[in-house]
Amino acid sequence: MFLEAINQVLDIWSGKPPYDLQGKYWNVSVKKTLIEDIGQGIVARPLQAPHPPIVVTAVAPFSKGVTEAAARGWDPISANFLMPAWVKSHWPKYVEGCERVGRAANSANWRVAKSVFVAKDAATAKAYATSPDSPYVYYYHQLFTKLKRSGRLELFKTRRDQPDAEVTLDSICDKLIIYGTPESVADQLLAFRQEIGHFGTLLYAGKDWKDRELGRQSMILMAEKVLPRINAAGGSST
């Protein structure tokens, strides 16, 4: 369904009205509603040629979607709720897709999202990121509840044969929330990169702010304190 939708967008961008696209899942037509002289039913073509970059999220271990995206010239974002082992599995799948079409596999095109909170002191960082009413804990509690009910706890496992009973909210938050002072967060992110391999862009995953000032401060510290440390250690863009 996703692939068909993206391909229809590409067809619209490269085609001319009246668009009349019939698919297995989606039908898109303006044949009956097109009024060219007022612009109704006309989609403007992108200024970038042939179209803007297409970046897709990768939310499963050993994602086949990453391979298919790479083969079409698209690039992946590894989701922030995947364990490092599953994030690491995306790079070989990206290479596989690139090799299929003779495309150079460049790790600079790989984006990875992480849940990060930075504070000026360790106690504040820990309280905001891990307390029961933390927006970070709330986020993962929501996902944990939904994935457990739908039988998809594998995303939160550290190995495929790990029993479901070992997967808890505490274990998830411990593995997936990076928090601390700028120095600590930089060290954790560098260790994460060492574990999964080099990637081009770290995406700071947004969470609702419980405290507006602390939420803003975290982003500022990330940009002004953490990023320079990562770049000094040989990082790329963040």
Side-chain angles (χ1 to χ4, degrees):
M1 294 173 72
F2 171 78
L3 182 60
E4 181 177 294
I6 290 290
N7 284 337
Q8 288 180 339
V9 171
L10 295 175
D11 288 341
I12 290 172
W13 281 347
S14 62
K16 295 181 179 180
Y19 317 108
D20 187 27
L21 308 176
Q22 306 300 311
K24 179 179 179 181
Y25 302 103
W26 319 111
N27 298 323
V28 180
S29 177
V30 298
K31 290 179 68 175
K32 295 181 179 180
T33 57
L34 178 68
I35 308 177
E36 290 195 54
D37 59 338
I38 64 170
Q40 178 172 298
I42 298 175
V43 178
R45 292 191 176 189
L47 296 177
Q48 290 171 271
H51 55 71
I54 296 176
V55 183
V56 301
T57 53
V59 300
F62 304 97
S63 171
K64 294 180 181 178
V66 170
T67 302
E68 297 307 314
R72 290 169 172 79
W74 309 344
D75 295 319
I77 299 174
S78 296
N80 69 109
F81 50 77
L82 289 174
M83 288 293 173
W86 309 140
V87 175
K88 183 178 181 178
S89 75
H90 289 167
W91 176 246
K93 304 303 289 185
Y94 180 74
V95 172
E96 179 184 329
C98 288
E99 290 179 343
R100 186 199 300 172
V101 296
R103 178 188 181 197
N106 186 349
S107 62
N109 297 329
W110 183 20
R111 298 160 173 84
V112 177
K114 290 296 290 180
S115 296
V116 180
F117 179 73
V118 195
K120 293 180 179 179
D121 64 272
T124 299
K126 182 176 181 180
Y128 191 88
T130 67
S131 63
D133 61 348
S134 160
Y136 292 77
V137 174
Y138 175 85
Y139 171 82
Y140 282 109
H141 179 256
Q142 291 280 312
L143 281 176
F144 176 51
T145 301
K146 294 172 183 177
L147 293 177
K148 184 176 182 179
R149 178 170 294 188
S150 62
R152 298 185 62 202
L153 277 182
E154 181 184 41
L155 300 185
F156 290 143
K157 294 183 178 183
T158 56
R159 63 183 193 280
R160 283 189 149 171
D161 62 351
Q162 184 178 13
D164 286 359
E166 291 184 6
V167 181
T168 65
L169 180 60
D170 286 343
S171 71
I172 293 167
C173 291
D174 181 62
K175 290 286 188 181
L176 296 181
I177 303 173
I178 290 179
Y179 64 89
T181 63
E183 296 83 359
S184 173
V185 168
D187 288 343
Q188 292 175 70
L189 288 171
L190 288 169
F192 170 71
R193 189 182 65 186
Q194 182 69 27
E195 181 177 1
I196 70 164
H198 185 79
F199 55 92
T201 301
L202 173 71
L203 298 180
Y204 182 106
K207 304 289 186 292
D208 288 341
W209 293 343
K210 175 188 174 187
D211 184 306
R212 183 176 186 276
E213 184 54 37
L214 288 178
R216 290 184 69 254
Q217 184 185 85
S218 174
M219 297 174 72
I220 293 169
L221 291 172
M222 185 73 186
E224 297 182 354
K225 301 295 184 181
V226 178
L227 177 58
R229 288 177 176 270
I230 293 176
N231 287 342
S236 290
S237 57
T238 303

